[in-house]
Amino acid sequence: MTENLLDARAVRVQFGGLVAVNDVDFNIPTGSIVALIGPNGAGKTTFFNVLTGLYTPSHGQVDFDGKSVLGVAPHKIAASGMARTFQNIRLFGAMTASENVMVAMHPHLKSGVLSTIVRTPKQRREERDARLMAKELLEFVGIAGVDDEFAKNLPYGDQRRLEVARALALRPKLLLLDEPTAGMNPQESATFTQFVHRVRDQRGVTVLLIEHDMKVVMGVSERITVLEYGSKIAEGTPQDIRSDQRVIEAYLGKSGTEAAK
Amino acid sequence: MATAERTAPRFKVESLLGMAVLTAAVAWIIWSFSSGPVIFTQVLTIGLSNGALYALIALGYTMVYGIIELINFAHGDLFMLGSVIGAIFLEEWLGQTKSSPKAWLILALTMLFAMAACALINMFIEKVAYRRLRNAPKLAPLITAVGVSFILQNVGILMNGSAPHSRTSVLPSSSLELGPIEVRVKYIVVVAVTVPLLLLMTWIVQKTRVGKAMRATAQDRDASLLMGINVDRIISFTFALGGALAGAAGVLFLEVNQQTRYDAGFRLGLIAFTAAVLGGVGNLVGAVVGGVLLGVIQALNDGAPHFFGQQWTQTVMFSILIIMVIFRPGGIFGKHQQEKV
Amino acid sequence: MFTSLVERMQPTTDNGRTFARYSGILAVLVVAWLIPNYIATSTEGPLPLFTVVLCAVYALFALGLNIVVGFAGLLDLGYVAFFLFGAYTSAWLMSDFFYQVNPRDPSDKQFSFSVHFLSTASSKIAGIHLSFWIVIIAAAAIAAVAGLVIGAPTLRLKSDYLALVTLGFGEILPEVFRNGDNVAGYNLTNGTKGIGPVDRIGMGFLDKLPGIPSTIVSSDYKTKYYVILLFCALFMYASIKLRDGRLGRAWMAIREDELAASLMGVPLMRTKLWSYAVGAIAGGVGGAFYATIVGTVNVDNFTFSFSIIVLCAVILGGMGNVWGAVLGGVAITWFNYTGLVYIGAQVNKGLGTHINLKNYEFMFFGFVLVLMMLFRPEGFIPAARSKQLKKADKQVQSIETAGVES
């Protein structure tokens, strides 16, 4: 048992001359809800991409569940229990909600080509169970009954929920949510806070989210890390962050803080 | 913003392998040269002239890919139409079949005519077919381009017949003798026509307003639209430029090979596309370098000592395509770009 | 209202619909079974039996390509490669080729084998003569391996590059086979002369049983038709089952959004390779069968246009639709082998003209590709999926145009 589910040390990502993530140390205690915030272009999504194996950092170390993820193929990282959603929704549009969820069960299902063609009893049972599990997950995220709707025909809010359901189908240990409340109305955002707690408490999933809505961030997270221009400028509990001078400056600008005084 | 170079160790192995292949190629060329320096050099001049043609066609591929990310399969067939149109204009309409100063002037006129015709055809194709599919899934315009390629081939059959049609060249068939090496005049003409065209092209893209708009559109279509660039017109202009170059290449091909055939565009087009890939698709200078390189490689393979010979031309050319695309999809100069997330 | 829409979209769980579907399939099979009894066996007229057999072969090819292009969304322009491997497998294993090869000069090396196994060929004929049913399995295996070999390096590429590289392979292979009559002195492919005659389809020792046609004679297209019909039916069934299973979902996910699929735990390479291998098997089986019906295998049969014809079939029927691929294959093949000539003859008779429509066949295919992409990208028989998507799109549009104020 490691105490930290995720351990990133001195992670640096460089695009040509631009340093997108600059020697960031970052860890996520198992079972916690952590937020990554910062102004646009601070390197948050880039950091997600490093964790999920899309980018290889120019140096640094990332351990997930005690094992390094660097150089591991994205699908293997996903199968080992790291699931994510996307800032700009990336569902499989021409597939139904239920199929979308079942795609993410891929690593956990066993049927091969032959058993699928022959339809062995085992394969049929597996498919039936997968379908039921998808139904259950859709209920869990609050969009029961849309199983056979095509993803691209769902309303925007439901699509965001479907993305979470799909990510949960991977049976993740760590769930990465990239701006999950973007485009939600205040009411939906409020229920989202409870939802994240439900994910953690009922499913035992550790959650890391990128979020702009400060109300959500302060309400949901136990720890917050702030990035600016790729560097970590603050880290701590919501209370710490709220009163941190550098964070206020990063968000409002120097003149803004003066005006606030 | 979100493009990164993968720095996996595999690439080091690959670059090492690349160096090995390069060294072997150089050694091979030296071996070939030393076994027959005269043949080798003569073949080289054919290669340069072929390469100039490939460069002209490759530019059309590369410009279109640069601006709308479409591999325009039909481009090779447009080149074929250029040669057919040129032949009909020069031989059948203006009756020029013999080499004379007057015929050379008319040849220049023919070239302008073929360039204009191909530019118009290419613009028409873009407007009717590709424009509507700009936001469709990527497979759709690609399949459409394959379809257009077949349609153009059949237009070629209509105009030229289904059998190869032999034509006469109005260029002198004599050779210049440089010591023991003979260089056919027509090859010199090809290079002499191509080089100014390429320079003109570079000037248009680099220095003119339209060229700047082209480059802006290639970078970011939406942003260009917001900046007041008429993106439709710029794309149309790009197709016109590419078409004009294909038309010029067609007429030169006609003069060199004294033959027009409806299926000339398919293989030549593929080779030219290989040239574009070699130089990095989207890279104009790269396309020219790639074209010349491939022309030379093909000529050496076909004619120089110790190479495989003509019956293996396609295999050699397309192996280069496959190897390049797999190991260096960004071309010999370029860097591979990763998808945005 | 919402639930009713959901119910309508659940044909698979609805018993009435299931019954209707199965009886539909049964009806199609019965019709397919009866067809050869009602048409002339001649090679003339609007529907010669030979064309019907070819239609079935191309339906099989279209089914295979549909897995690659339709399910997994990978544009393969070199499908001819698998056709080629299948056909040459037949040629190698079912003819006297490996004996008959005459050395061009005495120093030339040559193979001389004589192997017979449940073959229709007389045991006096030398060469390798295996039973058709074994050769089919070998062809499937060879094509699948070829699919893996071609796929492994290329499937990393972006879709448009993939199209070109597969096209490149499709151009290289025929050239290799054309020049394969002298591989270090050995003649492996007989070059442009081709290999033939290829043995007939037989049933091996089953030929001796009563009720089984003694041999499937080369001119007996009827029995051959039933053989290829069997392969088509099997492959259709496999396609549908795969589509609805774990692998099919992964293929579709890759088609929809490759990157998202990999982040959901779908191994891209392996999943794509499966689509290549399964698609290649149909190509290989079809190729092996084709060799036995035309009797000779010649390298000039394997051109880029073959890949395009099969692609046309898939697109006409609707990418991703199994029935569409079959009907597309049948329609295109009939048109290509008989329809065009027949229609042309009728037109010329009627108008007194002398147009040879056959010369322009690829004009039609070109127009099919362009017009379908522009006006009906989902095909004439769209997958149930895209039909519903389109319907829903229209609903959304009408809602959007109605509710301007939102």
Side-chain angles (χ1 to χ4, degrees), chain A residues 2-218:
Chain A
T2 42
E3 202 179 318
N4 286 338
L5 182 59
L6 186 102
D7 229 322
R9 290 180 303 278
V11 172
R12 171 194 282 262
V13 180
Q14 233 165 325
F15 302 114
L18 177 78
V19 182
V21 175
N22 190 2
D23 297 335
V24 171
D25 290 310
F26 182 72
N27 52 54
I28 305 173
T30 308
S32 61
I33 299 174
V34 177
L36 193 60
I37 65 170
N40 284 324
K44 303 177 302 271
T45 298
T46 308
F47 194 71
F48 263 33
N49 290 343
V50 170
L51 299 187
T52 48
L54 295 180
Y55 295 160
T56 310
S58 34
H59 73 78
Q61 189 56 44
V62 179
D63 289 342
F64 172 64
D65 205 17
K67 283 187 286 276
S68 172
V69 301
L70 297 189
V72 180
H75 72 265
K76 285 192 183 141
I77 298 178
S80 74
M82 195 184 316
R84 73 174 282 178
T85 66
F86 300 88
Q87 194 176 332
N88 44 341
I89 299 173
R90 295 187 82 149
L91 287 166
F92 309 120
M95 300 174 77
T96 65
S98 157
E99 284 170 336
N100 264 277
V101 176
M102 284 162 82
V103 166
M105 295 177 195
H106 193 91
H108 303 300
L109 303 181
K110 297 281 169 284
S111 307
V113 172
L114 272 183
S115 61
T116 307
I117 294 174
V118 182
R119 304 256 295 149
T120 57
K122 205 172 150 213
Q123 188 266 354
R124 289 187 193 204
R125 205 178 320 123
E126 190 180 88
E127 281 292 301
R128 205 180 46 231
D129 292 349
R131 203 167 291 280
L132 281 177
M133 202 188 300
K135 203 176 171 62
E136 203 181 284
L137 277 169
L138 291 175
E139 273 165 29
F140 181 76
V141 299
I143 45 173
V146 303
D147 303 48
D148 296 305
E149 290 276 348
F150 287 106
K152 77 172 207 185
N153 294 339
L154 290 175
Y156 184 81
D158 288 2
Q159 289 194 7
R160 283 233 171 264
R161 287 162 192 265
L162 177 55
E163 264 209 326
V164 177
R166 185 178 67 173
L168 286 174
L170 264 170
R171 290 190 227 143
K173 298 189 183 88
L174 175 63
L175 176 63
L176 309 178
L177 301 170
D178 199 344
E179 297 195 19
T181 67
M184 286 189 183
N185 61 37
Q187 207 180 347
E188 284 171 327
S189 299
T191 45
F192 176 76
T193 309
Q194 294 163 13
F195 173 70
V196 173
H197 279 115
R198 267 200 317 132
V199 169
R200 198 260 310 263
D201 300 337
Q202 293 179 11
R203 306 228 150 218
V205 177
T206 308
V207 179
L208 168 65
L209 65 159
I210 293 177
E211 187 50 68
H212 278 304
D213 186 334
M214 280 307 134
K215 225 187 215 160
V216 174
V217 172
M218 294 299 165

Side-chain angles (χ1 to χ4, degrees), chain B residues 203-225:
Chain B
W203 178 77
I204 290 176
V205 175
Q206 297 295 336
K207 298 282 186 239
T208 60
R209 262 175 68 91
V210 174
K212 279 183 193 142
M214 271 172 70
R215 282 181 290 146
T217 311
Q219 283 278 318
D220 189 330
R221 202 187 302 156
D222 294 333
S224 306
L225 200 64

Side-chain angles (χ1 to χ4, degrees), chain C residues 149-225:
Chain C
V149 170
I150 295 176
T154 56
L155 288 173
R156 277 198 294 166
L157 306 173
K158 286 197 293 176
S159 61
D160 41 4
Y161 277 35
L162 176 74
L164 263 160
V165 170
T166 50
L167 201 166
F169 268 113
E171 289 297 299
I172 289 177
L173 274 176
E175 195 172 83
V176 169
F177 275 72
R178 189 171 296 127
N179 297 328
D181 55 355
N182 186 5
V183 180
Y186 289 106
N187 179 352
L188 296 182
T189 62
N190 215 17
T192 49
K193 291 192 286 293
I195 301 177
V198 177
D199 296 342
R200 294 159 298 175
I201 301 173
M203 305 295 280
F205 57 90
L206 288 177
D207 287 345
K208 312 272 183 309
L209 294 179
I212 301 279
S214 60
T215 44
I216 298 174
V217 213
S218 60
S219 60
D220 183 5
Y221 290 131
K222 196 166 154 185
T223 327
K224 285 179 175 170
Y225 171 74

Side-chain angles (χ1 to χ4, degrees), chain B residues 141-265:
Chain B
L142 206 57
I143 292 171
T144 309
V146 175
V148 171
S149 156
F150 274 95
I151 294 173
L152 291 188
Q153 279 188 32
N154 277 271
V155 174
I157 295 181
L158 274 173
M159 292 166 65
N160 195 56
S162 47
H165 197 315
S166 53
R167 312 278 184 179
T168 47
S169 170
V170 298
L171 291 176
S173 55
S174 55
S175 302
L176 286 183
E177 286 182 26
L178 307 164
I181 300 152
E182 286 182 18
V183 185
R184 306 281 295 270
V185 169
K186 58 185 185 184
Y187 295 136
I188 298 174
V189 172
V190 169
V191 176
V193 173
T194 308
V195 171
L197 273 177
L198 294 179
L199 290 177
L200 181 71
M201 181 62 44
T202 321
W203 178 77
I204 290 176
V205 175
Q206 297 295 336
K207 298 282 186 239
T208 60
R209 262 175 68 91
V210 174
K212 279 183 193 142
M214 271 172 70
R215 282 181 290 146
T217 311
Q219 283 278 318
D220 189 330
R221 202 187 302 156
D222 294 333
S224 306
L225 200 64
L226 292 174
M227 291 296 124
I229 294 172
N230 185 342
V231 168
D232 278 351
R233 259 222 331 256
I234 293 303
I235 293 175
S236 197
F237 179 75
T238 309
F239 272 84
L241 269 187
L245 292 182
V251 174
L252 291 174
F253 175 85
L254 162 75
E255 289 304 309
V256 170
N257 294 322
Q258 292 153 23
Q259 190 190 54
T260 49
R261 49 190 303 164
Y262 80 94
D263 57 356

